């Protein structure tokens, strides 16, 4: 009896100790999480920490929650109802994180946005003075130079990485585009060019640390840290990308149309492209033994190529028959006439949404709008990947009214009625579903694997998201105050007319040359790369029947509001 009592006493002591240990560990973990959250909220972002780390899972990066979290409204109810007469769909049809109004998380996000410092502030660190560039990079450090955002000193390619920018990253990108110099500013912006800036600055004025590389200098406020990339150019020369644009009717006076020219016997595409790249022009135009460099303009818009015309040149040939026609190539040089963007100087009186179902090309539309208008677009969410690549409106609070329009996937009555007007972007649901599934499993630029497509996630995804695609359009048609409906397919096929229509809806006036610049940079940095699945058909007949019923419902609703119906290609034949 005494032995049994002793064992029981020993067990209770161990249990008591274990409970005490677990309680202490729990309290310590909670304290650490609280301290970490506080630090992330109040820090000023000067070291490029991703906002995704400060947001809870499912909200970081503007991601989409697991399809199993979605509500699944009955397709029969949707098809049977009269569009626009009864409630479109249950407002809970989207992923929960999109419709959640958890006050704590929203306050956390607001505090982050308001405390996150502006783009123009240099990094302030105790004892931080002029940093010495490291010797690890290719090429050599040239110096610190003044830079004016209205008149760039390095006028070539421009790109951003507001989280992982390094000197080598900028150098390699400029080298691939055939530039001689790489300049970095604000710790995260990269500019390329072939001519050194004219105005030198004091070394200590380049005082911004690279966002992705501690101890390396990446310019400052209106200051460029300039590096030579000659060594890198030699290594990457073979990778230069020259794109054949087609055979076009030559302008009447090529010398007036194009700022630079070269006449040389035995002229080749490579020679002309190299010449135009050094002159920092995005187009190389060949006619006989003549090479011209310039931009797309209203005199030479590159809208209609000539098919069936006896251009002796081909994409791999060197010249054309001298006279009426010319061959046009796009050099590695970026057209920078439309890359300057800024926030609105005064708060917009009209609150405009750029609304779409996920996967319908919202990011691409934002790229086009920003470059056409020169103003940043905002977002209802915070997507760190987009912010890091230059969509600076992601950082701004979505109700600041400092952006030209605000991205949203919301479709509830309350959310829609907050906006004064909206551009409603609609894409073929078959393409949208595949694009969003790719984004979910491989990010903005990748493709899901065969294993993903063959998993049980895909049919669940289609069932949930197909109904959301339909209800999203129906809700905006019902509750939207002023709408411009844009079909993704029309925007791709007729970019300039549709983009002009969108810009006019936003009450912005732009020049024809700026629109042509946008067309020249139409893909931006968010075109999916990698090998696509050939002859890939992920939709079963049952899925097609479901989606087709939604297509017919949305088409009927659009026509009922006197909008153009859905393109016929939406329904598979």
């Amino acid at each position: 009896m005494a032995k049994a009592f002793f064992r029981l006493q020993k067990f209770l002591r161990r249990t008591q100790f274990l409970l005490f240990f677990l309680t202490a560990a729990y309290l310590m973990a909670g304290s650490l999480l609280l301290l970490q959250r506080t630090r992330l909220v109040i820090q000023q972002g000067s070291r490029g920490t991703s906002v995704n780390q400060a947001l809870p899972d499912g909200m970081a990066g503007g991601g989409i929650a697991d399809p199993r979290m979605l509500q699944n409204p009955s397709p029969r109810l949707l098809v049977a109802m009269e569009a626009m007469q009864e409630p479109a769909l249950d407002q809970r049809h989207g992923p929960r994180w999109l419709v959640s109004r958890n006050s704590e998380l929203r306050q956390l996000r607001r505090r982050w946005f308001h405390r996150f410092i502006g783009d123009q502030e240099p990094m302030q660190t105790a004892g931080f003075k002029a940093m010495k560039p490291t010797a690890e990079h290719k090429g050599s450090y040239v110096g610190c130079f003044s830079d004016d955002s209205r008149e760039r000193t390095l006028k070539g390619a421009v790109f951003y990485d507001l989280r992982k920018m390094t000197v080598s990253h900028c150098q390699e990108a400029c080298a691939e585009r055939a530039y001689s110099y790489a300049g970095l500013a604000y710790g995260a912006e990269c500019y390329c060019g072939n001519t050194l800036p004219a105005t030198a600055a004091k070394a200590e004025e380049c005082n911004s640390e690279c966002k992705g590389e501690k101890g390396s200098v990446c310019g400052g406020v209106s200051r460029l840290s300039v590096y030579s990339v000659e060594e890198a150019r030699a290594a990457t020369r073979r990778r230069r990308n020259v794109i054949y644009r087609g055979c076009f009717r030559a302008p009447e006076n090529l010398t007036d149309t194009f700022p630079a020219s070269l006449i040389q016997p035995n002229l080749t595409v490579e020679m002309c492209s190299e010449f135009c790249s050094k002159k920092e022009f995005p187009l190389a135009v060949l006619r006989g033994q003549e090479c011209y460099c310039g931009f797309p303009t209203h005199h030479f818009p590159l809208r209609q190529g000539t098919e069936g015309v006896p251009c002796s040149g081909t994409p791999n040939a060197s010249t054309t028959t001298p006279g009426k026609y010319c061959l046009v190539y796009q050099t590695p040089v970026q057209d920078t006439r439309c890359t300057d963007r800024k926030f609105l100087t005064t708060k917009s009186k009209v609150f405009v949404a750029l609304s779409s179902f996920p996967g319908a090309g919202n990011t691409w539309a934002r790229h086009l709008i920003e470059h056409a208008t020169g103003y940043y677009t905002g977002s209802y969410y915070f997507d760190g990947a987009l912010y890091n690549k230059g969509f600076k409106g992601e950082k701004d609070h979505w109700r600041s009214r400092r952006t030209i329009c605000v991205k949203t996937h919301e479709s509830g009555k309350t959310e829609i009625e907050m906006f004064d007007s909206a551009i409603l972007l609609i894409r073929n649901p078959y393409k949208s579903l595949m694009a969003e599934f790719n984004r979910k499993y491989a990010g903005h630029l990748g493709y899901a694997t065969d294993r993903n497509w063959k998993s049980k996630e895909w049919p669940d995804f289609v069932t949930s998201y197909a109904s959301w695609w339909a209800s999203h359009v129906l809700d905006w048609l019902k509750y939207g105050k002023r709408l411009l409906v844009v079909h993704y397919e029309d925007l791709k096929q007729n970019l300039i007319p549709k983009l002009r229509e969108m810009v006019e809806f936003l009450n912005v006036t732009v020049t024809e040359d700026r629109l042509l610049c946008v067309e020249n940079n139409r893909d931006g940095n968010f075109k999916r790369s990698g090998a696509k699945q050939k002859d890939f058909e992920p939709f079963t007949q049952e899925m097609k029947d479901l989606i087709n019923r939604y297509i017919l419902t949305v088409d009927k609703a659009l026509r009922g509001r006197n909008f153009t119906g859905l393109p016929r290609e939406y329904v598979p034949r």
Side-chain angles (χ1 to χ4, degrees), residues 70-110:
L70 304 176
Q71 302 293 331
N72 298 321
S74 170
R76 295 180 182 177
L77 289 176
L78 177 62
V79 177
M81 72 174 187
E82 283 295 325
M84 311 307 299
Q85 305 233 346
E86 298 292 335
L89 278 178
D90 187 346
Q91 300 305 316
R92 295 170 296 173
H93 46 66
R96 292 180 183 176
W97 75 268
L98 282 177
V99 297
S100 173
R101 295 296 175 269
N102 185 285
S103 59
E104 179 184 353
L105 298 183
R106 291 177 66 83
Q107 289 298 325
L108 176 63
R109 183 171 63 182
R110 288 194 185 104

Side-chain angles (χ1 to χ4, degrees), residues 70-348:
L70 304 176
Q71 302 293 331
N72 298 321
S74 170
R76 295 180 182 177
L77 289 176
L78 177 62
V79 177
M81 72 174 187
E82 283 295 325
M84 311 307 299
Q85 305 233 346
E86 298 292 335
L89 278 178
D90 187 346
Q91 300 305 316
R92 295 170 296 173
H93 46 66
R96 292 180 183 176
W97 75 268
L98 282 177
V99 297
S100 173
R101 295 296 175 269
N102 185 285
S103 59
E104 179 184 353
L105 298 183
R106 291 177 66 83
Q107 289 298 325
L108 176 63
R109 183 171 63 182
R110 288 194 185 104
R111 289 198 302 270
W112 171 268
F113 286 140
H114 287 301
R115 289 181 179 268
F116 201 90
I117 61 172
D119 317 327
Q120 309 301 315
E121 297 182 16
M123 185 181 76
Q124 299 295 332
T125 304
F128 187 84
K129 298 180 180 180
M131 293 186 298
K132 297 180 180 180
T134 62
E136 302 172 359
H137 316 298
K138 299 177 180 178
S140 57
Y141 180 67
V142 178
C144 183
F145 294 84
S146 298
D147 182 56
D148 185 353
S149 60
R150 292 171 296 181
E151 184 62 30
R152 292 292 180 192
T153 52
L154 292 180
K155 301 179 181 180
V158 181
F159 74 98
Y160 309 86
D161 195 327
L162 303 178
R163 185 185 177 192
K164 299 180 180 179
M165 179 63 74
T166 66
V167 175
S168 295
H169 182 32
C170 181
Q171 286 180 315
E172 290 170 4
C174 293
E176 290 179 2
R177 292 166 172 82
Y179 289 109
S180 300
Y181 299 101
L184 297 103
Y186 302 104
E189 299 179 2
C190 175
Y191 300 90
C192 308
N194 289 321
T195 305
L196 278 176
T199 308
K202 296 179 180 179
E204 59 268 20
E205 293 179 4
C206 286
N207 56 7
S208 291
E209 188 176 48
C210 300
K211 296 294 186 181
E213 187 176 26
K214 292 184 178 181
S216 292
V217 57
C218 283
V221 178
S222 299
R223 295 294 182 267
L224 282 174
S225 296
V226 179
Y227 295 81
S228 168
V229 294
E230 289 297 331
E231 296 178 24
R233 286 187 64 196
T236 57
R237 186 178 299 272
R238 292 174 298 174
R239 292 187 288 164
R240 293 180 187 173
N241 188 21
V242 179
I243 302 171
Y244 176 66
R245 296 293 299 271
C247 178
F248 296 85
R249 182 177 290 275
E252 292 184 4
N253 193 329
L254 279 86
T255 348
D256 291 342
T257 305
F258 301 110
S261 60
L262 170 69
I263 299 177
Q264 184 172 325
N266 302 319
L267 184 69
T268 64
V269 173
E270 184 178 5
M271 292 166 61
C272 184
S273 174
E274 183 78 12
F275 172 75
C276 293
S277 294
K278 288 182 177 179
K279 296 290 183 180
E280 298 183 356
F281 290 107
L283 293 184
V285 181
L286 287 87
R287 187 181 69 169
Q289 301 301 310
E290 303 169 357
C291 171
Y292 298 90
C293 312
F295 303 94
T297 64
H298 64 282
H299 295 298
F300 194 64
L302 294 183
R303 288 183 188 168
Q304 295 181 347
T306 55
E307 297 182 2
V309 177
C311 280
S312 62
T314 66
N316 296 317
S318 59
T319 62
T320 65
T321 303
K324 298 181 178 179
Y325 302 99
C326 56
L327 290 175
V328 180
Y329 295 84
Q330 188 161 334
T331 72
V333 175
Q334 182 181 358
D335 191 341
T336 57
R337 296 174 297 166
C338 56
T339 54
D340 58 303
R341 289 164 291 167
K342 60 183 180 181
F343 289 102
L344 296 173
T345 52
T346 58
K347 290 186 177 182
S348 173

